[in-house]
Amino acid sequence: FIYTSRTTPIMCLSQAIKLGAKTVIVYGVDMLTHHAFRKGLKAGELEIGVYKKFIQAMQAKGINVYLGSEGTAFDGWLPLYKDI
């Protein structure tokens, strides 16, 4: 499935699915420092919700999604890759 949103990384996740990825490690998507889409701002909270919904759909299709590093709006929600 192809999905788009207001930020580039979610389009990259969509492309990874299209290319057949079964495991995705998310780097550089902290959603804490973006000028418009960060945690605490209305637009940021909406975008974080879009990511969560999309990632849940990926997981439902059997695609493993991990964080590449700590310090993101997804800490505690997605497993850290080095912890598996």
Side-chain angles (χ1 to χ4, degrees):
F1 47 96
I2 298 294
Y3 191 85
T4 61
S5 189
R6 298 185 65 171
T7 55
T8 305
I10 204 162
M11 291 180 247
C12 296
L13 290 171
S14 180
Q15 185 66 20
I17 294 166
K18 184 177 179 186
L19 294 171
K22 295 296 179 193
T23 299
V24 177
I25 304 167
V26 180
Y27 285 97
V29 187
D30 63 22
M31 301 302 281
L32 299 175
T33 59
H34 192 280
H35 70 282
F37 301 106
R38 68 177 175 267
K39 189 174 181 177
L41 296 179
K42 183 178 180 181
E45 295 295 336
L46 290 172
E47 192 72 0
I48 290 166
V50 168
Y51 274 78
K52 287 182 174 183
K53 185 175 179 182
F54 186 70
I55 290 168
Q56 287 171 333
M58 291 173 69
Q59 292 167 330
K61 296 247 182 220
I63 300 167
N64 300 305
V65 184
Y66 302 98
L67 288 176
S69 62
E70 296 174 310
T72 77
F74 305 101
D75 288 2
W77 189 76
L78 280 175
L80 190 61
Y81 184 70
K82 69 179 185 180
D83 289 344
I84 62 165

